[in-house]
Amino acid sequence: MRYNLVRFRRTTGYLQLLGAIGLVLGLYLQPIVLFIAAIGLSLLMLAGFIVRLKIKDNFLQSSPSFFFAVLNSIIAFKTYTLYF
């Protein structure tokens, strides 16, 4: 495809699903799960944002990954300040 990263497609999808499940479970079970999932998704989305910029997409096209990176960073920060 245009990113030339086809071999990482499944891995990225599994990591996103694992992160989403971790966020939901972390709300109800353990705050550490929420924190780790938020950090992981934050890094994953930041990597996606960097890839989008490297392939010369404009900021508007890249903004969803940036938005979710920031959102997950906020969740991680709030979780850290409330529980740790």
Side-chain angles (χ1 to χ4, degrees), residues 35-63:
F35 180 72
I36 291 170
I39 290 291
L41 281 173
S42 198
L43 294 172
L44 191 64
M45 293 296 109
L46 184 61
F49 178 70
I50 291 168
V51 166
R52 296 295 295 251
L53 291 178
K54 277 188 146 189
I55 63 168
K56 307 256 190 287
D57 280 355
N58 63 32
F59 185 78
L60 189 60
Q61 292 171 314
S62 306
S63 63

Side-chain angles (χ1 to χ4, degrees), residues 56-76:
K56 307 256 190 287
D57 280 355
N58 63 32
F59 185 78
L60 189 60
Q61 292 171 314
S62 306
S63 63
S65 57
F66 182 75
F67 171 76
F68 285 114
V70 170
L71 182 64
N72 280 295
S73 296
I74 292 169
I75 292 169

Side-chain angles (χ1 to χ4, degrees), residues 5-7 10-12 14 16 19 24 27 29 39-40 47 49-50 52 55 60 65 71-72 74 83:
L5 298 171
V6 175
R7 64 179 182 249
R10 281 192 177 174
T11 304
T12 302
Y14 289 138
Q16 288 175 348
V24 172
L27 284 172
L29 298 177
I39 290 291
F49 178 70
I50 291 168
R52 296 295 295 251
I55 63 168
L60 189 60
S65 57
L71 182 64
N72 280 295
I74 292 169
Y83 297 106

